[in-house]
Structure formats: structure tokens, C-alpha cells
Amino acid sequence: GAVVSQHPSRVICKSGTSVKIECRSLDFQATTMFWYRQFPKQSLMLMATSNEGSKATYEQGVEKDKFLINHASLTLSTLTVTSAHPEDSSFYICSARDLGQTNEKLFFGSGTQLSVL
Amino acid sequence: TQLLEQSPQFLSIQEGENLTVYCNSSSVFSSLQWYRQEPGEGPVLLVTVVTGGEVKKLKRLTFQFGDARKDSSLHITAAQPGDTGLYLCAGAKRGTSYGKLTFGQGTILTVHP
């Protein structure tokens, strides 16, 4: 079945540094990917919709200059947390829709745990 | 205001008991999905319900979509410790971008042996 690979699975960084998270669709093309943020024992909050070849659409309250999204190919979207601070520490998850699926079906990555010291 | 109200948020039961998780909204959804998530992992899709009144079964799990497509429930029969995890409902609203899901708050289920 379709697989979404997210990398890295865990990252620890110092405050002020930037962190890039990759989301790849391994055996299908994804014109649209979604980025979520999740705090411990809480639900997923949609941050932005990543569109291949165009600008991402950000949800209300999400700083686009803080969370840079690039979707340069049909199989790769990246989320860069710029100048990370401890409050950015969270679990980040991506999902991708499979164009080949007739039903609404999303595939989720395994998530990235970001810890900012 | 949470678009999808999921309840209960926490559920701690003994092995063999039955349980039901509810997902309610004032909005109509074109489809609703249920996911299960383990700590440190992404959500895994359990089922998608599309038709009002639809009932789907997955072994000991029964999913129901309300007639008006505003609510859904997940019922687990004879829960096992392996059912422990975070259960999430997520809805796709008609007219929104394909794949853009709204998630409920989640239900943390713990099944004790």
C-alpha cells in the first residue's frame, strides 16, 4: 500500500537554530500534503496545506515565516521550523493524499518529535 | 470552538469490557474517518464512513455514521490490552480541499489486563 515517509523521526536542537522536516510519498504522487502539529495526548491541529509548485496555504494563527513549507516535487514536501524556540517543541506529522485513490484516503507519516532546548 | 466534539477524552477499562466513543458536530461532513495512534507514531486509518446511517465492522470494532452525517460512534466489544491507544475521529467537510481533515480532540483508551 501507499507509504509516506517522514524524516527525521526525532530531532533535538538548540534555541535559535532551524530544523527541516521531510515528508515523502514513496510509491505515489502527491500534489497536496498536509502538515499537522500535535501536543502530548492531544489531537492533531492542521498547520498548513502544501501544494506542489505553489505557495502553501496556512491555517489561521500559523506564522508562515516561522514555518516554511516547500513542495518542490510530486513526492516531497518539507517543513522548516525557523529560529526554533522551546515553545516550538512538538510532534509534527505530515499526510499526503494519493491521486490514484478513488475514495478519500490520506496516508500519514510516522511523525517527527522536535525538542528545542 | 471545536468543530468535532469527541468523548470521552479518557477511558480506562478492564480487559473484556465494551466501550463506545462518540464524535459529534453541528456540521455536516461528506465523510468521517476513525484513526488509531500509538505514541510516537502517525495515525493509522481504521475506517472511512461516507453514507448517512452507514455501519461498518472491523473485527471487534463497529463504526456508525449518523443519518444526518453529523456524528459518528466507535464501539469496541471485549476490549483487549492491544486496543490501548489514542483514537481520533476526523471529518472532511463538503466544499473544503480534498483531504483537509478536521480532527476531534481524541480519546485515550487504556485497557488493563
Side-chain angles (χ1 to χ4, degrees):
Chain A
V3 176
V4 172
S5 174
Q6 191 172 337
H7 180 81
S9 58
R10 182 177 294 272
V11 59
I12 301 172
C13 69
K14 292 182 178 180
S15 185
T17 61
S18 294
V19 175
K20 181 184 284 188
I21 303 170
E22 293 186 348
C23 183
R24 293 181 184 273
S25 57
L26 294 186
D27 54 1
F28 66 98
Q29 294 181 332
T31 56
T32 303
M33 294 185 179
F34 302 89
W35 287 96
Y36 295 86
R37 185 173 180 176
Q38 185 178 32
F39 291 104
K41 297 185 178 181
Q42 294 188 24
S43 188
L44 279 69
M45 298 297 295
L46 179 66
M47 298 174 65
T49 302
S50 173
N51 303 299
E52 187 268 334
S54 65
K55 293 182 179 180
T57 304
Y58 290 81
E59 295 300 302
Q60 191 173 9
V62 178
E63 299 176 59
K64 60 181 180 181
D65 295 330
K66 173 74 171 177
F67 299 99
L68 299 179
I69 292 173
N70 185 276
H71 195 153
S73 76
L74 285 172
T75 59
L76 174 65
S77 175
T78 61
L79 168 68
T80 301
V81 183
T82 62
S83 187
H85 288 91
E87 57 266 29
D88 298 323
S89 297
S90 188
F91 194 58
Y92 293 87
I93 305 175
C94 69
S95 69
R97 70 179 209 193
D98 185 355
L99 287 175
Q101 295 282 338
T102 55
N103 299 320
E104 291 185 16
K105 197 162 188 178
L106 288 180
F107 298 93
F108 283 82
S110 55
T112 298
Q113 182 64 54
L114 171 63
S115 299
V116 185
L117 305 178
Chain B
T1 302
Q2 187 73 23
L3 197 58
L4 267 175
E5 296 287 341
Q6 191 172 337
S7 63
Q9 292 190 38
F10 301 93
L11 200 51
S12 180
I13 61 172
Q14 293 297 126
E15 182 176 1
E17 293 183 8
N18 302 331
L19 67 111
T20 302
V21 179
Y22 299 93
C23 189
N24 297 297
S25 176
S26 57
S27 301
V28 176
F29 291 93
S30 58
S31 67
L32 200 140
Q33 301 177 345
W34 286 91
Y35 293 85
R36 179 168 170 265
Q37 185 182 20
E38 302 264 8
E41 298 288 333
V44 175
L45 179 66
L46 296 175
V47 78
T48 299
V49 286
V50 178
T51 306
E54 183 176 5
V55 177
K56 281 190 175 180
K57 290 192 175 184
L58 185 65
K59 296 183 180 179
R60 293 178 292 101
L61 279 61
T62 302
F63 305 86
Q64 188 164 6
F65 201 13
D67 292 340
R69 290 185 293 157
K70 293 182 179 181
D71 54 88
S72 181
S73 64
L74 157 61
H75 182 79
I76 300 179
T77 303
Q80 304 292 314
D83 296 327
T84 294
L86 173 65
Y87 289 82
L88 296 160
C89 64
K93 290 188 70 178
R94 183 172 292 178
T96 59
S97 174
Y98 177 88
K100 186 174 179 179
L101 297 177
T102 301
F103 281 84
Q105 302 100 315
T107 296
I108 297 176
L109 171 65
T110 304
V111 182
H112 301 280

